[in-house]
Amino acid sequence: MRFRFTPLILAAVAWPGFGQSVPTTVEIYVNSRDDSAQLLGPGTPMASGIFKKIGVRLNWHRGEAPLGQNAISLRTVEHAPESATPEAMAASQLNNSSGLEITVYKDRVRRFLDGHRSLARVALGYVLAHELAHVMQGLARHSEGGILKAHWSDRDFTDMVFHKLAFSAPDVELIHKGLALRPASGRPQPAIPVEDGNPAAPSLGKR
């Protein structure tokens, strides 16, 4: 999926790993004009817990991000567009008035959840964590292990059940560096296109 990045509002720029105990706060708005909250809402507690472990606090809101607030906005569309790569579950673009907007493809997410019914809410939380981590880092990359792998394995899904799948140490550092580099206000930074696939692709269809 393609991402473009813009500055985020931060309550703090430090995290425990950098010698301070105040977490970084990221504002996230879930669209209330469609059924985004119904689809994505069950995964938000898990996503919050994942980021809490690395010193990032996710502040969830329903509705549109206020004008001028550089936050992350989440919305859904029924079907992935023809331009989307075969494995993509979401795309992101710069919204000059409210920051970064992530568009989730409902057909792709529902297919993924149908393939993992026994851990649907947990898996959805990890999907959200994966997508949010990409935009926080602002980099076109995946990791060899952990939440930001290009493709999750069956072992990774087992680790999800026990809440053991986590960000790798380099990913944690890059998330915090990415957030710290984004000013709280001012002009958006130049857009960085990122092509991302579906980390769950190899296991789609399994139950």
Side-chain angles (χ1 to χ4, degrees), residues 30-38 62-65 74-76 106:
V30 182
N31 194 317
S32 58
R33 295 183 179 179
D34 53 31
D35 62 352
S36 298
Q38 287 74 17
R62 286 197 181 190
E64 302 289 334
L74 283 170
R75 72 181 187 94
T76 59
K106 290 193 285 188

Side-chain angles (χ1 to χ4, degrees), residues 12-184:
V13 295
W15 68 291
F18 287 120
Q20 297 191 33
S21 59
V22 179
T24 299
T25 299
V26 178
E27 308 295 336
I28 304 175
Y29 288 79
V30 182
N31 194 317
S32 58
R33 295 183 179 179
D34 53 31
D35 62 352
S36 298
Q38 287 74 17
L39 177 65
L40 304 177
T44 58
M46 174 60 66
S48 292
I50 292 169
F51 278 97
K52 182 179 179 180
K53 292 178 181 179
I54 64 168
V56 176
R57 179 188 176 191
L58 304 184
N59 245 359
W60 298 93
H61 310 271
R62 286 197 181 190
E64 302 289 334
L67 294 178
Q69 178 166 322
N70 289 317
I72 297 177
S73 296
L74 283 170
R75 72 181 187 94
T76 59
V77 293
E78 287 294 334
H79 303 285
E82 293 183 1
S83 59
T85 56
E87 296 179 348
M89 284 202 290
S92 185
Q93 64 182 2
L94 179 66
N95 184 322
N96 288 328
S97 63
S98 60
L100 187 73
E101 184 175 79
I102 298 175
T103 300
V104 177
Y105 307 142
K106 290 193 285 188
D107 56 338
R108 303 278 180 90
V109 171
R110 285 168 177 159
R111 182 159 55 108
F112 163 65
L113 296 178
D114 284 344
H116 302 87
R117 294 176 181 174
S118 62
L119 67 158
R121 292 193 177 192
V122 173
L124 181 57
Y126 276 97
V127 169
L128 289 174
H130 181 101
E131 306 300 342
L132 290 168
H134 274 305
V135 301
M136 290 180 191
Q137 288 187 355
L139 298 172
R141 63 178 296 278
H142 280 100
S143 297
E144 293 184 2
I147 294 172
L148 271 178
K149 283 177 64 175
H151 299 290
W152 289 328
S153 66
D154 288 337
R155 174 59 184 272
D156 292 327
F157 283 104
T158 299
D159 286 343
M160 285 183 195
V161 175
F162 300 100
H163 303 179
K164 291 183 177 181
L165 189 65
F167 290 114
S168 67
D171 281 325
V172 174
E173 183 177 0
L174 288 171
I175 286 170
H176 284 279
K177 284 184 176 180
L179 292 174
L181 287 172
R182 306 186 192 288

